[in-house]
Amino acid sequence: MELYKDPKQPIEARVEDLLSRMTLEEKVAQLCGDLPASFIEEGKVNTELLKEKFPDGHGRFTQYSIVGLVNPEQIAKISNTVQRYFVEETRLGIPVALQTENLCGYPAAGGTLFPAMINMGCTWEPELAEKMSKIIGEESRSVGITSAMSPVIDVVQDPRWGRTYETFGEDPYLISQFGNHYVKGMQEQGVSCIAKHFLGYSSTQGGLNTSACRMGKRELYEIFATPFEAADKLAGLDAMMANYGEIDGLPVIDNKEIIGTLLRDTMGFKGVLTSDGAAVLKTLNYFKIAKTYEEAGLLAKKAGTDTEIPVGAAFRQLPKYVRSGELEEECINESVRRVLTVKFKRGLFENPYCDEAKVLEALNNAEKRALSEKIAAKSLVLLKNEDILPLKKEMKVALVGPHADSLRYPVSGYTYPAYIEMMKAGANGETTGFNGLADEQEKAKSGGKKVNGPFAAMFEMFSKEEQDAMNDMNTVLKEMGTRSLREVLAERFLVSYAQGCSIMGKETDGFAQAVVAAQQSDVVVMACGGNSGWINVTGGEGKDRQYLDLPGVQQQLLEAVAAVGKPIVLVLYGPGVFAVNWAQENCGAILQAFMPGPFAGKVIADALDGTVNPGGKMTMSVPRNTGQIPIYYNHRVGSGYNSGADTAAASIFSGGYVDGPADPLYCFGHGLSYTTFELADMLVSATELPTDGKLEISCKVKNTGNVTGDETVQLYTSFTEAHVTRPNKQLTGFRRITLQPGEEKTVVFHLDMAQLGYYNEFIEFVVEPGTMNLMLGTNSRDIMLSQSICLIGKSTNVMGRRSYVCPTELR
């Protein structure tokens, strides 16, 4: 037996043995991606195409879940056929990675569908992310998928960006906790995680996708890189995906300072760095920094990018640059080592096949759906309530708005329904915002001869019968147990329904019916907001916004219905936040739902009638208008709405806006309840502490209301005696707890000072002596308890030994 085939040998030895046996072409093949349409015809594998196109093996097939849009047993069978070719018919028998987007569920037939990740963040329970990702990993592995292009752990500071819903919010500590748990759960199931998008992708110009990132090295590392480093150090992250955009004039895939100095040297990351979809192609046709597509591949490889997806057409040309002396073969070897290491770690060599007989039992079931519903319920955020909610049982309810009777709108992008919409639209020639595939589509068009682009080619993978089976998405959602808000509320109240308007349309002919419904009611529930995906949506990849107003004529509808004079409950859906200033002044209650997934109708109805007490908290600051952007709670002292400057100095140099308040409409961490809570008796284990010490902070939390509810105790810190500007406050720990009426518990935080490091004026990552302020509250604005302590002794350099978690306990 060859050493690399012996599972008893160390992974490093297996990698080196296999690498020593590989030809240059076999090495480069491991760095390339392709799409399943390259070998599937009429729903079946064309083995001759595999032999023709991939004689030297292959690294990965991406967007592979598309193969399973019709039938989970079909994709399992295809996975085994594909692996059988690579394992049994190529010279070295290296399994191929089958890769997909797993953001909020295995996105194909039979997969469990979960809420959007912005909803997950609003639960403030990172453990739920691990439970969810275990299910996603299990379902993916059951059909042969071994690589997931998720989670998205970008730090979002501009809500106009269309991909906001894919993230966990604006705070690096919060994101780190969710990212860590997500990666742990997925990779335990033998599915590699590719965290994205490294680095600064969400720090957009004007809210636009793929635009330039403008920030210094302090912010890049302390804020944007921290969730990636935490996922690596705590969960053993296998891979990262590079940001499409550019930093300081260089696309990230070509940026040696970002890849080499920051990622490899400073952060010590040893995993794979892949391009984003068609990012190599973008350096040619988007950023215009390469003369040819092949040269674009060379630039990315020399900078340290390991793999090219979705189609590795440029990386396939790398052998000629090695032979011409323009590229060292060791540069190839380094990347191949990383790719093979991941394949060994996740058990592909020992278990390349899936069990076709057990596919159906591994997929969606009642227990998994219950977790999806639980996450959705815990994610709902009560933004405002003037004693209107919960609704009284005898009330007559008018239900109005484009989301009220929709099964699809509450479901996120990057899901089974969204993929079917994108596939069908792309195959029909419609423009989609799916970067990577859309780029490949344009490349196909520009070739001078009629060639099917990836959308048409992937749609044509399926037979006519299979294509027809994708048409009825409402039936698919109903089979998952999905019910609209209208259906559920009608079982509990006397409901008058009127759509009123569409999401983005300009038609107002439905207003009259909505007004009549309101006149006949005791209370009006307005179901408004946006939707997500790639086609005809208000948010998604390449679907960004200039304004944060309600889309279309929904604001006009809201005002027309409110003019009737009945109490209004506004439920906000969609992939981002809305600056609902008018609603805050004129509606009696506002519930932020985002995209709760297939059980949105039930959990929102439960919140409206009091079956469930909303306990979610916002993970983003909601601006009053776009002129405040970027706005985020943890801005540096001397900047932003909570500058921390002396009153006199602030009035002279930073007096605020002349045309409106400077603070957000809703702050980070905001979220109300049907009960009330009290924080008291803050205790700190020391008033002086070495810079390398550990501290215990505690307080009592009491439910002072009449119903059971959840509160999230949030610990913030600040340090203002550094020789560099620091955040006015930063989230350092949190704990969500459930309390019965009158019940009291003590929340204890165990804080390691190594969590609080920052770059000093000499770019040393340190914890310095000085005054540290400790703050406890229920959101970033309402600080109820505070105390200061002194950090003493010399500065402590914590680079390479940072702490990323503040453990908590209940007493």
Coordinates of all heavy atoms in Angstrom, one line a residue, residues 72 75-76 102 104-114 132-145 186 189 191 354 358-365 368-369:
P72 N -33.1 14.0 -4.3 CA -31.9 13.7 -3.5 C -31.3 12.4 -3.8 O -30.0 12.3 -3.7 CB -32.4 13.8 -2.0 CG -33.9 13.6 -2.1 CD -34.3 14.2 -3.4
I75 N -28.9 12.9 -6.9 CA -27.6 13.6 -6.7 C -26.7 12.6 -6.0 O -25.5 12.6 -6.3 CB -27.8 14.9 -5.9 CG1 -26.4 15.6 -5.8 CG2 -28.4 14.7 -4.5 CD1 -26.5 17.0 -5.1
A76 N -27.2 11.8 -5.1 CA -26.4 10.8 -4.4 C -25.8 9.8 -5.4 O -24.6 9.5 -5.3 CB -27.2 10.1 -3.3
N102 N -24.0 26.5 1.5 CA -24.8 25.9 2.6 C -25.2 26.9 3.6 O -25.4 26.5 4.8 CB -23.9 24.8 3.3 CG -24.1 23.4 2.6 OD1 -24.8 23.3 1.6 ND2 -23.4 22.4 3.2
C104 N -27.9 28.6 4.7 CA -29.0 28.4 5.7 C -29.7 27.1 5.3 O -30.9 27.1 5.3 CB -29.9 29.6 5.8 SG -30.3 30.4 4.3
G105 N -29.0 26.1 4.9 CA -29.6 24.8 4.6 C -28.9 24.2 3.4 O -28.3 24.9 2.6
Y106 N -28.9 22.9 3.3 CA -28.5 22.2 2.1 C -29.5 22.6 1.0 O -30.7 22.3 1.1 CB -28.5 20.7 2.3 CG -28.6 19.9 1.0 CD1 -27.6 20.0 0.0 CD2 -29.6 19.0 0.8 CE1 -27.7 19.3 -1.1 CE2 -29.7 18.3 -0.4 CZ -28.8 18.5 -1.4 OH -28.9 17.8 -2.5
P107 N -29.1 23.4 0.0 CA -30.0 24.1 -0.8 C -30.5 23.3 -2.0 O -30.3 23.7 -3.2 CB -29.2 25.3 -1.3 CG -27.8 24.8 -1.4 CD -27.7 23.8 -0.3
A108 N -31.2 22.2 -1.8 CA -31.7 21.3 -2.8 C -32.9 20.5 -2.3 O -33.3 20.7 -1.1 CB -30.6 20.4 -3.4
A109 N -33.5 19.7 -3.1 CA -34.6 18.9 -2.7 C -34.3 18.0 -1.5 O -33.3 17.3 -1.4 CB -35.1 18.0 -3.9
G110 N -35.2 18.1 -0.5 CA -35.0 17.3 0.7 C -34.3 17.9 1.8 O -34.3 17.4 3.0
G111 N -33.6 19.1 1.6 CA -32.8 19.7 2.6 C -33.7 20.5 3.6 O -34.8 21.0 3.2
T112 N -33.3 20.6 4.8 CA -34.0 21.5 5.8 C -33.7 22.9 5.5 O -32.5 23.3 5.4 CB -33.6 21.1 7.2 OG1 -33.8 19.7 7.4 CG2 -34.4 21.8 8.2
L113 N -34.7 23.7 5.5 CA -34.6 25.1 5.2 C -34.6 26.0 6.5 O -35.6 25.8 7.3 CB -35.7 25.6 4.2 CG -35.7 27.0 3.7 CD1 -34.4 27.3 3.0 CD2 -36.9 27.1 2.7
F114 N -33.6 26.8 6.7 CA -33.5 27.5 8.0 C -33.6 29.0 7.7 O -33.6 29.5 6.5 CB -32.1 27.3 8.6 CG -32.0 25.9 9.2 CD1 -31.4 24.9 8.5 CD2 -32.4 25.6 10.5 CE1 -31.3 23.6 9.0 CE2 -32.3 24.4 11.0 CZ -31.7 23.3 10.3
M132 N -27.7 24.0 14.0 CA -28.2 24.1 12.6 C -27.1 23.6 11.6 O -27.4 22.8 10.7 CB -28.4 25.6 12.3 CG -28.9 25.8 10.8 SD -28.8 27.6 10.4 CE -27.0 27.9 10.3
S133 N -25.9 24.0 11.8 CA -24.8 23.6 10.8 C -24.5 22.1 10.9 O -24.2 21.5 9.8 CB -23.6 24.4 11.0 OG -22.9 24.1 12.2
K134 N -24.7 21.5 12.0 CA -24.6 20.0 12.1 C -25.6 19.4 11.2 O -25.3 18.4 10.4 CB -24.8 19.5 13.5 CG -23.6 19.7 14.4 CD -23.8 19.1 15.8 CE -22.6 19.3 16.7 NZ -22.8 18.8 18.0
I135 N -26.8 19.9 11.2 CA -27.9 19.3 10.3 C -27.6 19.6 8.8 O -27.7 18.7 8.0 CB -29.3 19.9 10.7 CG1 -29.7 19.4 12.0 CG2 -30.3 19.7 9.6 CD1 -31.0 20.1 12.6
I136 N -27.1 20.8 8.5 CA -26.8 21.1 7.1 C -25.6 20.2 6.7 O -25.6 19.7 5.6 CB -26.4 22.6 7.0 CG1 -27.6 23.5 7.4 CG2 -26.0 22.9 5.6 CD1 -27.2 25.0 7.5
G137 N -24.6 20.0 7.6 CA -23.5 19.2 7.2 C -23.9 17.7 7.0 O -23.5 17.1 6.1
E138 N -24.7 17.2 7.9 CA -25.2 15.8 7.8 C -26.0 15.6 6.5 O -25.7 14.6 5.8 CB -26.1 15.5 9.0 CG -26.7 14.1 8.9 CD -27.9 13.9 9.9 OE1 -28.4 14.9 10.4 OE2 -28.3 12.8 10.0
E139 N -26.9 16.5 6.2 CA -27.6 16.4 4.9 C -26.8 16.5 3.7 O -27.0 15.8 2.7 CB -28.8 17.4 4.9 CG -29.8 17.2 6.0 CD -30.9 18.2 6.1 OE1 -30.9 19.2 5.3 OE2 -31.9 17.9 6.8
S140 N -25.8 17.4 3.8 CA -24.9 17.6 2.6 C -24.1 16.3 2.4 O -23.9 15.8 1.3 CB -24.0 18.8 2.8 OG -24.8 20.0 3.0
R141 N -23.5 15.8 3.5 CA -22.6 14.7 3.4 C -23.4 13.4 2.9 O -22.9 12.6 2.2 CB -22.0 14.4 4.7 CG -20.7 13.5 4.6 CD -19.6 14.3 3.9 NE -18.3 13.7 4.1 CZ -17.7 12.7 3.3 NH1 -18.4 12.3 2.3 NH2 -16.5 12.3 3.5
S142 N -24.7 13.4 3.3 CA -25.5 12.2 2.9 C -25.7 12.1 1.4 O -25.9 11.0 0.9 CB -26.9 12.3 3.6 OG -27.7 13.3 2.9
V143 N -25.5 13.2 0.7 CA -25.6 13.2 -0.8 C -24.3 13.3 -1.5 O -24.2 13.5 -2.7 CB -26.6 14.3 -1.3 CG1 -28.0 14.0 -0.8 CG2 -26.1 15.7 -1.0
G144 N -23.2 13.3 -0.7 CA -21.9 13.3 -1.2 C -21.2 14.6 -1.2 O -20.0 14.7 -1.6
I145 N -21.8 15.7 -0.7 CA -21.1 17.0 -0.7 C -20.2 17.1 0.5 O -20.5 16.6 1.6 CB -22.2 18.1 -0.6 CG1 -23.0 18.2 -1.9 CG2 -21.6 19.4 -0.2 CD1 -24.2 19.1 -1.8
M186 N -20.5 22.2 11.2 CA -20.4 21.7 9.8 C -19.2 20.7 9.7 O -19.4 19.6 9.1 CB -20.2 22.9 8.9 CG -20.3 22.5 7.4 SD -21.9 22.2 6.8 CE -22.6 23.9 6.9
Q189 N -19.2 17.1 10.7 CA -19.9 16.2 9.8 C -19.1 15.8 8.6 O -19.6 15.1 7.7 CB -21.2 16.8 9.4 CG -22.1 17.2 10.5 CD -22.5 16.0 11.4 OE1 -22.9 15.0 10.9 NE2 -22.3 16.2 12.7
V191 N -17.7 17.9 6.4 CA -17.9 18.9 5.4 C -17.0 20.1 5.7 O -17.2 20.8 6.7 CB -19.4 19.3 5.2 CG1 -19.5 20.4 4.1 CG2 -20.2 18.1 4.9
C354 N -21.1 8.2 -0.7 CA -22.3 8.3 0.2 C -23.1 7.0 0.1 O -23.0 6.3 -0.8 CB -23.1 9.5 -0.1 SG -23.7 9.6 -1.8
K358 N -29.5 5.3 2.3 CA -29.8 6.0 3.5 C -30.0 7.5 3.3 O -30.2 8.3 4.3 CB -28.8 5.8 4.6 CG -28.7 4.3 5.1 CD -27.7 4.2 6.2 CE -27.6 2.8 6.7 NZ -26.6 2.6 7.8
V359 N -30.1 7.9 2.1 CA -30.2 9.3 1.8 C -31.5 9.9 2.3 O -31.4 11.0 3.1 CB -30.1 9.6 0.2 CG1 -30.5 11.0 -0.1 CG2 -28.7 9.3 -0.3
L360 N -32.6 9.4 2.1 CA -33.9 10.0 2.5 C -34.0 10.1 4.0 O -34.5 11.1 4.5 CB -35.0 9.2 1.9 CG -35.1 9.2 0.3 CD1 -36.4 8.4 -0.1 CD2 -35.2 10.6 -0.2
E361 N -33.5 9.1 4.7 CA -33.6 9.2 6.2 C -32.7 10.2 6.8 O -32.9 10.6 7.9 CB -33.4 7.8 6.8 CG -32.0 7.3 6.7 CD -31.8 5.9 7.2 OE1 -32.4 4.9 6.6 OE2 -31.1 5.7 8.3
A362 N -31.7 10.6 6.0 CA -30.8 11.6 6.6 C -31.2 13.1 6.3 O -30.7 14.0 6.9 CB -29.4 11.4 5.9
L363 N -32.3 13.2 5.5 CA -32.7 14.6 5.2 C -33.8 15.1 6.1 O -34.1 14.6 7.2 CB -33.1 14.6 3.7 CG -32.0 14.3 2.7 CD1 -32.5 14.2 1.3 CD2 -30.9 15.3 2.8
N364 N -34.5 16.1 5.6 CA -35.5 16.9 6.3 C -36.5 16.0 7.1 O -37.0 15.0 6.6 CB -36.3 17.7 5.3 CG -37.2 18.8 6.0 OD1 -37.4 18.7 7.2 ND2 -37.6 19.7 5.2
N365 N -36.7 16.3 8.4 CA -37.6 15.5 9.2 C -38.2 16.5 10.3 O -37.9 17.7 10.3 CB -37.0 14.3 9.9 CG -35.8 14.7 10.8 OD1 -35.9 15.7 11.5 ND2 -34.8 13.8 10.8
K368 N -35.8 18.3 12.7 CA -35.0 19.3 12.1 C -35.8 20.6 11.8 O -35.4 21.7 12.0 CB -34.3 18.8 10.8 CG -33.3 17.7 11.0 CD -32.8 17.1 9.7 CE -31.8 16.0 10.0 NZ -31.3 15.4 8.7
R369 N -37.1 20.3 11.3 CA -38.0 21.5 11.1 C -38.3 22.2 12.4 O -38.4 23.4 12.4 CB -39.2 21.0 10.4 CG -39.1 20.5 9.0 CD -40.4 20.3 8.3 NE -41.2 19.2 8.9 CZ -41.1 17.9 8.5 NH1 -40.2 17.6 7.5 NH2 -41.8 17.0 9.0

